[in-house]
CSV table of all heavy atoms in Angstrom, one decimal:
chain,number,residue,atom,x,y,z
R,48,LEU,N,-7.8,-30.9,-34.0
R,48,LEU,CA,-7.6,-29.4,-33.8
R,48,LEU,C,-6.3,-29.0,-34.5
R,48,LEU,O,-5.3,-29.7,-34.5
R,48,LEU,CB,-7.4,-29.2,-32.3
R,48,LEU,CG,-8.7,-28.8,-31.5
R,48,LEU,CD1,-9.9,-29.8,-31.8
R,48,LEU,CD2,-8.5,-28.7,-30.0
R,49,ASP,N,-6.3,-27.8,-35.0
R,49,ASP,CA,-5.0,-27.1,-35.4
R,49,ASP,C,-4.4,-26.5,-34.3
R,49,ASP,O,-5.0,-26.2,-33.3
R,49,ASP,CB,-5.3,-26.4,-36.8
R,49,ASP,CG,-6.2,-25.2,-36.6
R,49,ASP,OD1,-6.4,-24.8,-35.4
R,49,ASP,OD2,-6.8,-24.7,-37.5
R,50,ASP,N,-3.3,-25.8,-34.6
R,50,ASP,CA,-2.5,-25.1,-33.5
R,50,ASP,C,-3.3,-23.9,-33.0
R,50,ASP,O,-3.3,-23.7,-31.8
R,50,ASP,CB,-1.1,-24.6,-34.1
R,50,ASP,CG,-0.2,-25.7,-34.4
R,50,ASP,OD1,-0.5,-26.8,-33.9
R,50,ASP,OD2,0.9,-25.4,-35.0
R,51,ARG,N,-4.0,-23.2,-33.9
R,51,ARG,CA,-4.8,-22.1,-33.4
R,51,ARG,C,-5.9,-22.6,-32.4
R,51,ARG,O,-6.1,-22.0,-31.3
R,51,ARG,CB,-5.5,-21.4,-34.6
R,51,ARG,CG,-6.5,-20.2,-34.3
R,51,ARG,CD,-5.7,-19.2,-33.7
R,51,ARG,NE,-6.5,-18.4,-32.7
R,51,ARG,CZ,-6.0,-17.4,-32.0
R,51,ARG,NH1,-4.8,-17.0,-32.0
R,51,ARG,NH2,-6.8,-16.7,-31.2
R,52,GLU,N,-6.6,-23.7,-32.9
R,52,GLU,CA,-7.7,-24.2,-31.9
R,52,GLU,C,-7.1,-24.8,-30.6
R,52,GLU,O,-7.7,-24.6,-29.6
R,52,GLU,CB,-8.5,-25.3,-32.7
R,52,GLU,CG,-9.2,-24.7,-33.8
R,52,GLU,CD,-9.8,-25.7,-34.8
R,52,GLU,OE1,-9.1,-26.7,-35.0
R,52,GLU,OE2,-10.8,-25.5,-35.4
R,53,TRP,N,-5.9,-25.4,-30.6
R,53,TRP,CA,-5.2,-25.8,-29.4
R,53,TRP,C,-4.9,-24.6,-28.5
R,53,TRP,O,-5.2,-24.6,-27.2
R,53,TRP,CB,-4.0,-26.6,-29.7
R,53,TRP,CG,-4.2,-28.1,-29.8
R,53,TRP,CD1,-4.1,-29.0,-30.8
R,53,TRP,CD2,-4.7,-28.9,-28.7
R,53,TRP,NE1,-4.3,-30.2,-30.4
R,53,TRP,CE2,-4.8,-30.3,-29.1
R,53,TRP,CE3,-5.0,-28.6,-27.4
R,53,TRP,CZ2,-5.2,-31.3,-28.3
R,53,TRP,CZ3,-5.6,-29.7,-26.5
R,53,TRP,CH2,-5.5,-31.0,-27.0
R,54,ALA,N,-4.4,-23.6,-29.1
R,54,ALA,CA,-4.1,-22.4,-28.4
R,54,ALA,C,-5.4,-21.8,-27.7
R,54,ALA,O,-5.4,-21.4,-26.6
R,54,ALA,CB,-3.5,-21.3,-29.2
R,55,GLU,N,-6.4,-21.8,-28.4
R,55,GLU,CA,-7.8,-21.4,-27.9
R,55,GLU,C,-8.2,-22.1,-26.7
R,55,GLU,O,-8.5,-21.7,-25.6
R,55,GLU,CB,-8.8,-21.4,-29.0
R,55,GLU,CG,-8.7,-20.3,-30.0
R,55,GLU,CD,-9.4,-19.0,-29.5
R,55,GLU,OE1,-10.2,-19.0,-28.6
R,55,GLU,OE2,-9.0,-17.9,-30.2
R,56,TYR,N,-8.0,-23.5,-26.8
R,56,TYR,CA,-8.4,-24.3,-25.7
R,56,TYR,C,-7.5,-24.3,-24.5
R,56,TYR,O,-8.0,-24.2,-23.4
R,56,TYR,CB,-8.4,-25.8,-26.2
R,56,TYR,CG,-8.6,-26.8,-25.0
R,56,TYR,CD1,-9.8,-26.7,-24.3
R,56,TYR,CD2,-7.6,-27.8,-24.6
R,56,TYR,CE1,-10.0,-27.6,-23.2
R,56,TYR,CE2,-7.8,-28.5,-23.6
R,56,TYR,CZ,-9.0,-28.5,-22.9
R,56,TYR,OH,-9.2,-29.4,-21.8
R,57,LEU,N,-6.3,-24.1,-24.7
R,57,LEU,CA,-5.3,-24.1,-23.6
R,57,LEU,C,-5.1,-22.7,-22.9
R,57,LEU,O,-5.1,-22.6,-21.7
R,57,LEU,CB,-3.9,-24.5,-24.0
R,57,LEU,CG,-3.7,-26.0,-24.5
R,57,LEU,CD1,-2.3,-26.2,-25.1
R,57,LEU,CD2,-3.9,-26.9,-23.2
R,58,PHE,N,-5.0,-21.7,-23.7
R,58,PHE,CA,-4.6,-20.4,-23.3
R,58,PHE,C,-5.7,-19.3,-23.3
R,58,PHE,O,-5.5,-18.2,-22.6
R,58,PHE,CB,-3.4,-19.9,-24.0
R,58,PHE,CG,-2.2,-20.9,-24.0
R,58,PHE,CD1,-1.6,-21.3,-25.1
R,58,PHE,CD2,-1.8,-21.3,-22.8
R,58,PHE,CE1,-0.7,-22.2,-25.2
R,58,PHE,CE2,-0.7,-22.3,-22.7
R,58,PHE,CZ,-0.1,-22.7,-23.9
R,59,TYR,N,-6.7,-19.4,-24.0
R,59,TYR,CA,-7.6,-18.4,-24.3
R,59,TYR,C,-8.8,-18.6,-23.4
R,59,TYR,O,-9.5,-19.6,-23.5
R,59,TYR,CB,-8.0,-18.2,-25.7
R,59,TYR,CG,-6.9,-17.5,-26.5
R,59,TYR,CD1,-5.8,-18.2,-26.9
R,59,TYR,CD2,-7.0,-16.2,-27.0
R,59,TYR,CE1,-4.8,-17.5,-27.7
R,59,TYR,CE2,-6.0,-15.5,-27.7
R,59,TYR,CZ,-5.0,-16.3,-28.2
R,59,TYR,OH,-3.9,-15.6,-28.8
R,60,ARG,N,-9.1,-17.6,-22.5
R,60,ARG,CA,-10.3,-17.7,-21.7
R,60,ARG,C,-11.1,-16.3,-21.9
R,60,ARG,O,-10.4,-15.3,-22.1
R,60,ARG,CB,-10.0,-17.9,-20.2
R,60,ARG,CG,-9.3,-19.2,-19.9
R,60,ARG,CD,-10.2,-20.4,-20.1
R,60,ARG,NE,-9.6,-21.7,-19.9
R,60,ARG,CZ,-9.1,-22.4,-20.8
R,60,ARG,NH1,-9.1,-22.1,-22.1
R,60,ARG,NH2,-8.7,-23.6,-20.5
R,61,ASP,N,-12.3,-16.4,-21.5
R,61,ASP,CA,-13.1,-15.1,-21.4
R,61,ASP,C,-12.6,-14.2,-20.3
R,61,ASP,O,-12.0,-14.8,-19.3
R,61,ASP,CB,-14.6,-15.4,-21.3
R,61,ASP,CG,-15.2,-16.0,-22.6
R,61,ASP,OD1,-14.5,-16.0,-23.5
R,61,ASP,OD2,-16.2,-16.6,-22.3
R,62,ASN,N,-12.8,-13.0,-20.4
R,62,ASN,CA,-12.2,-12.1,-19.3
R,62,ASN,C,-13.1,-10.9,-19.1
R,62,ASN,O,-12.8,-9.7,-19.3
R,62,ASN,CB,-10.7,-11.6,-19.7
R,62,ASN,CG,-10.1,-11.0,-18.5
R,62,ASN,OD1,-10.5,-11.1,-17.3
R,62,ASN,ND2,-9.1,-10.1,-18.8
R,63,PRO,N,-14.5,-11.2,-19.0
R,63,PRO,CA,-15.4,-10.1,-19.0
R,63,PRO,C,-15.4,-9.2,-17.7
R,63,PRO,O,-15.0,-9.6,-16.7
R,63,PRO,CB,-16.7,-10.8,-19.1
R,63,PRO,CG,-16.5,-12.1,-18.3
R,63,PRO,CD,-15.1,-12.4,-18.6
R,64,ARG,N,-15.8,-8.0,-17.9
R,64,ARG,CA,-16.2,-7.1,-16.8
R,64,ARG,C,-17.6,-7.3,-16.6
R,64,ARG,O,-18.4,-6.7,-17.4
R,64,ARG,CB,-15.8,-5.7,-17.1
R,64,ARG,CG,-16.0,-4.7,-16.0
R,64,ARG,CD,-15.6,-3.4,-16.3
R,64,ARG,NE,-16.0,-2.6,-15.0
R,64,ARG,CZ,-15.3,-1.7,-14.6
R,64,ARG,NH1,-14.2,-1.3,-15.0
R,64,ARG,NH2,-15.8,-1.0,-13.6
R,65,GLY,N,-18.1,-8.0,-15.5
R,65,GLY,CA,-19.5,-8.2,-15.4
R,65,GLY,C,-19.7,-9.8,-15.0
R,65,GLY,O,-18.7,-10.4,-14.4
R,66,ASP,N,-20.7,-10.4,-15.3
R,66,ASP,CA,-21.0,-11.8,-14.8
R,66,ASP,C,-20.1,-12.8,-15.5
R,66,ASP,O,-19.8,-12.7,-16.8
R,66,ASP,CB,-22.4,-12.2,-15.2
R,66,ASP,CG,-23.4,-11.6,-14.2
R,66,ASP,OD1,-23.1,-10.8,-13.3
R,66,ASP,OD2,-24.6,-11.9,-14.4
R,67,TYR,N,-19.5,-13.7,-14.7
R,67,TYR,CA,-18.6,-14.6,-15.2
R,67,TYR,C,-18.8,-15.9,-14.6
R,67,TYR,O,-19.0,-16.1,-13.4
R,67,TYR,CB,-17.1,-14.0,-14.9
R,67,TYR,CG,-16.0,-14.9,-15.4
R,67,TYR,CD1,-15.9,-15.2,-16.7
R,67,TYR,CD2,-14.8,-15.1,-14.7
R,67,TYR,CE1,-14.8,-15.9,-17.3
R,67,TYR,CE2,-13.7,-15.7,-15.2
R,67,TYR,CZ,-13.8,-16.1,-16.5
R,67,TYR,OH,-12.7,-16.7,-17.0
R,68,ALA,N,-18.9,-16.9,-15.4
R,68,ALA,CA,-19.1,-18.4,-14.9
R,68,ALA,C,-17.7,-18.9,-14.6
R,68,ALA,O,-16.9,-19.0,-15.6
R,68,ALA,CB,-19.8,-19.1,-15.8
R,69,GLU,N,-17.4,-19.3,-13.4
R,69,GLU,CA,-16.0,-19.6,-13.1
R,69,GLU,C,-16.1,-20.9,-12.1
R,69,GLU,O,-17.1,-21.1,-11.5
R,69,GLU,CB,-15.3,-18.5,-12.3
R,69,GLU,CG,-16.0,-18.1,-11.0
R,69,GLU,CD,-15.4,-16.6,-10.6
R,69,GLU,OE1,-14.7,-16.0,-11.3
R,69,GLU,OE2,-15.8,-16.3,-9.4
R,70,ARG,N,-14.9,-21.5,-11.8
R,70,ARG,CA,-14.9,-22.7,-11.0
R,70,ARG,C,-14.2,-22.2,-9.7
R,70,ARG,O,-13.2,-21.5,-9.7
R,70,ARG,CB,-14.0,-23.7,-11.6
R,70,ARG,CG,-14.6,-24.1,-13.1
R,70,ARG,CD,-13.9,-25.4,-13.6
R,70,ARG,NE,-12.4,-25.2,-13.5
R,70,ARG,CZ,-11.7,-26.2,-13.4
R,70,ARG,NH1,-12.2,-27.6,-13.4
R,70,ARG,NH2,-10.3,-26.1,-13.4
R,71,TRP,N,-14.5,-22.9,-8.6
R,71,TRP,CA,-13.9,-22.7,-7.4
R,71,TRP,C,-13.8,-24.2,-6.8
R,71,TRP,O,-14.6,-25.1,-7.0
R,71,TRP,CB,-14.8,-21.8,-6.4
R,71,TRP,CG,-14.9,-20.5,-6.7
R,71,TRP,CD1,-15.7,-19.8,-7.6
R,71,TRP,CD2,-13.9,-19.5,-6.2
R,71,TRP,NE1,-15.4,-18.5,-7.7
R,71,TRP,CE2,-14.3,-18.2,-6.8
R,71,TRP,CE3,-12.8,-19.4,-5.3
R,71,TRP,CZ2,-13.7,-17.0,-6.5
R,71,TRP,CZ3,-12.3,-18.2,-5.0
R,71,TRP,CH2,-12.6,-17.0,-5.7
R,72,HIS,N,-12.8,-24.3,-5.9
R,72,HIS,CA,-12.5,-25.7,-5.3
R,72,HIS,C,-12.5,-25.4,-3.7
R,72,HIS,O,-11.8,-24.5,-3.2
R,72,HIS,CB,-11.1,-26.1,-5.7
R,72,HIS,CG,-10.9,-27.5,-5.1
R,72,HIS,ND1,-9.6,-27.9,-4.8
R,72,HIS,CD2,-11.6,-28.6,-4.9
R,72,HIS,CE1,-9.6,-29.1,-4.4
R,72,HIS,NE2,-10.8,-29.6,-4.4
R,73,HIS,N,-13.4,-26.0,-3.0
R,73,HIS,CA,-13.6,-25.8,-1.5
R,73,HIS,C,-12.4,-26.7,-0.9
R,73,HIS,O,-12.6,-27.7,-0.2
R,73,HIS,CB,-14.9,-26.2,-1.1
R,73,HIS,CG,-15.1,-25.7,0.2
R,73,HIS,ND1,-16.4,-25.9,0.9
R,73,HIS,CD2,-14.5,-24.9,1.1
R,73,HIS,CE1,-16.3,-25.4,2.1
R,73,HIS,NE2,-15.0,-24.7,2.2
R,74,THR,N,-11.1,-26.2,-1.0
R,74,THR,CA,-10.0,-27.0,-0.6
R,74,THR,C,-10.1,-27.1,1.0
R,74,THR,O,-9.6,-28.1,1.5
R,74,THR,CB,-8.6,-26.2,-0.9
R,74,THR,OG1,-9.0,-24.8,-0.6
R,74,THR,CG2,-8.4,-26.4,-2.4
R,75,GLY,N,-10.5,-26.2,1.7
R,75,GLY,CA,-10.6,-26.2,3.1
R,75,GLY,C,-11.8,-26.7,3.7
R,75,GLY,O,-12.1,-26.7,4.8
R,76,GLY,N,-12.7,-27.4,2.8
R,76,GLY,CA,-13.9,-27.9,3.3
R,76,GLY,C,-14.2,-29.2,2.6
R,76,GLY,O,-13.4,-30.1,2.9
Side-chain angles (χ1 to χ4, degrees):
Chain R
L48 267 53
D49 62 20
D50 288 350
R51 175 70 212 170
E52 290 163 330
W53 264 117
E55 285 278 340
Y56 171 63
L57 289 173
F58 304 124
Y59 285 75
R60 295 291 180 267
D61 294 342
N62 189 26
R64 181 177 176 142
D66 281 2
Y67 188 42
E69 60 192 15
R70 306 187 312 148
W71 288 87
H72 186 214
H73 196 180
T74 42

